[in-house]
Amino acid sequence: MLIKLFSISSSALLLRWTNSKDALRKLRPVNEIAVFISSRTDSGVHALQNSAHVDIQRKEGNMPFSEQVLVDALNYHLQSEPISIIKAFRVPDTFHARYCALSRTYLYRLVTGVTHHSQIPVFERNLCWALPTKHFSTEAVQDAAQLLKGTHDFSTFRSLNSETPFRSPVKTLQEATVAPEFVHFHISLGVRAQGQPLYSTLGAIPEATERRAEAAVNRQSNFNFTLPSPPVTLPESFAPYRRVEQAFHSKLKGPITVDKKTLVELHNFQTPSTKGAFQRGTGMNLLTGRFTAPLSGIYQFSANIHIDHSELKSKGQLRARDNVRVLICIESLCHGYTSLEMIVGLESNSKIFTVFVHGLLELQVGQYTSVFVDNGSGAPITVQNGSDFTGLFLGA
């Protein structure tokens, strides 16, 4: 069940939503409640809306909750929390709120003509960016924001931490709008990540757009347009747009059975016919499931593998040591080369679950990568059709 929620106090959103497990338990499900939220907010960011998914299994003989009944019941039990449920949707077992997330919208709120924080309305404090200038050109900032639309490498705008090498800086900005409101301006940025959930790497974008707006205003007007922040330089890849020459998004055509204690290479993929799918270049062989590097360099790969082990679970044969490994390997040598790997225990998972593998690999010309599934359990498992394998050439 997918649940969309609204929060006016997002600094503790994750904690509040985790506490809402109590509300879900009051619905008396027979399964253990586990809540998976689509994303967390960054420091200083307020979430106006988010989504999460949860499995609710009722006692035998009881009909599943309808979407509206679930919304009303949860809101009743969440009266003491600063969260309200907007909608609920029934979704397939393969859905995951985090890994199936496609986009995120950032809303930057600016107040102009403020020389001291005490001038900001009480209910707006810590919820907007105060600028001392009274001369804010909506048209100039709107024009500058359009330079950011499209697919770009946003490395310049992201902070460095231990997870930076494993997250792609390539994002697609689908929409950028600037709109004046009663006491502030709204800059809305609709951003889409390619092949992965979106992580926050765009905090400096308002500064960059305003630096472009400053240059435009200074050319067209006599008044000064100053900012309280240091200059931010846009990377050269912003204009003209840099074309991604090698990239693919493929899905498994049909299910593949992996016998017990067996390592299997996945093959027989297809490029989805739906909008948003892509295949750039000739590196990906859909029949063999292997991507051959046409250039030496750094590549980003990810795989969402849907595992069905209902046969094993229904027979009650699960042991603590039963697990499944999903690997993205070079030249089919998962131990001879660096590989991307995720290990998931079967005992704690539902009958159908998804294993997500993501990271960077350095390939030489002619080397190939492919996805392997290692079944460490005592019975066969099935890799479901629709499992995906994606890749992208980042650079030499």
Side-chain angles (χ1 to χ4, degrees), residues 35-74:
V35 179
F36 301 89
I37 199 165
S38 64
S39 65
R40 295 177 294 177
T41 57
D42 302 316
S43 177
V45 178
H46 297 263
L48 295 177
Q49 184 173 302
N50 210 327
S51 60
H53 85 263
V54 61
D55 294 327
I56 301 177
Q57 183 179 350
R58 303 194 68 190
K59 291 182 180 180
E60 186 174 356
N62 290 345
M63 293 292 292
F65 290 115
S66 68
E67 286 87 342
Q68 190 57 50
V69 168
L70 186 61
V71 169
D72 294 341
L74 287 177

Side-chain angles (χ1 to χ4, degrees), residues 42-286:
D42 302 316
S43 177
V45 178
H46 297 263
L48 295 177
Q49 184 173 302
N50 210 327
S51 60
H53 85 263
V54 61
D55 294 327
I56 301 177
Q57 183 179 350
R58 303 194 68 190
K59 291 182 180 180
E60 186 174 356
N62 290 345
M63 293 292 292
F65 290 115
S66 68
E67 286 87 342
Q68 190 57 50
V69 168
L70 186 61
V71 169
D72 294 341
L74 287 177
N75 281 332
Y76 175 80
H77 293 299
L78 287 171
Q79 293 181 66
S80 61
E81 302 289 347
I83 287 179
S84 63
I85 308 301
I86 300 175
K87 288 183 180 180
F89 304 90
R90 192 177 304 279
V91 293
D93 291 338
T94 55
F95 178 86
H96 195 288
R98 179 184 175 189
Y99 301 137
C100 294
L102 296 178
S103 63
R104 175 187 291 177
T105 299
Y106 292 85
L107 180 65
Y108 297 92
R109 307 172 75 243
L110 282 65
V111 176
T112 59
V114 176
T115 58
H116 192 269
H117 67 85
S118 61
Q119 296 175 325
I120 302 176
V122 173
F123 296 108
E124 296 292 333
R125 292 177 186 175
N126 300 322
L127 296 176
C128 58
W129 182 12
L131 300 177
T133 179
K134 295 181 180 180
H135 306 292
F136 186 88
S137 172
T138 304
E139 294 77 12
V141 176
Q142 178 69 51
D143 292 341
Q146 302 314 303
L147 298 174
L148 303 179
K149 291 179 65 175
T151 301
H152 306 289
D153 186 331
F154 284 90
S155 297
T156 302
F157 300 104
R158 64 177 182 170
S159 59
L160 297 177
N161 54 53
S162 59
E163 296 185 359
T164 298
F166 304 102
R167 294 179 176 178
S168 171
V170 179
K171 309 293 179 185
T172 299
L173 185 66
Q174 295 178 315
E175 181 184 6
T177 60
V178 181
E181 298 292 335
F182 178 61
V183 294
H184 52 261
F185 291 88
H186 279 175
I187 298 180
S188 178
L189 302 175
V191 194
R192 177 186 176 92
Q194 294 190 347
Q196 64 171 8
L198 179 65
Y199 298 97
S200 176
T201 58
L202 306 178
I205 283 184
E207 300 177 30
T209 57
E210 289 198 35
R211 295 302 298 181
R212 289 297 184 108
E214 176 186 4
V217 170
N218 285 337
R219 286 196 303 268
Q220 299 172 14
S221 307
N222 294 323
F223 57 75
N224 293 323
F225 188 93
T226 58
L227 292 174
S229 55
V232 177
T233 303
L234 286 172
E236 294 180 357
S237 59
F238 270 62
Y241 297 151
R242 185 184 66 180
R243 176 177 172 81
V244 177
E245 299 294 342
Q246 297 293 332
F248 67 92
H249 178 194
S250 59
K251 287 185 177 291
L252 207 58
K253 274 188 178 181
I256 295 179
T257 300
V258 182
D259 204 0
K260 61 180 182 180
K261 308 298 181 183
T262 302
L263 178 69
V264 171
E265 182 180 23
L266 301 186
H267 61 281
N268 198 22
F269 287 84
Q270 63 182 351
T271 300
S273 58
T274 52
K275 291 183 179 180
F278 54 88
Q279 183 168 355
R280 299 268 184 92
T282 58
M284 181 60 181
N285 186 320
L286 296 173

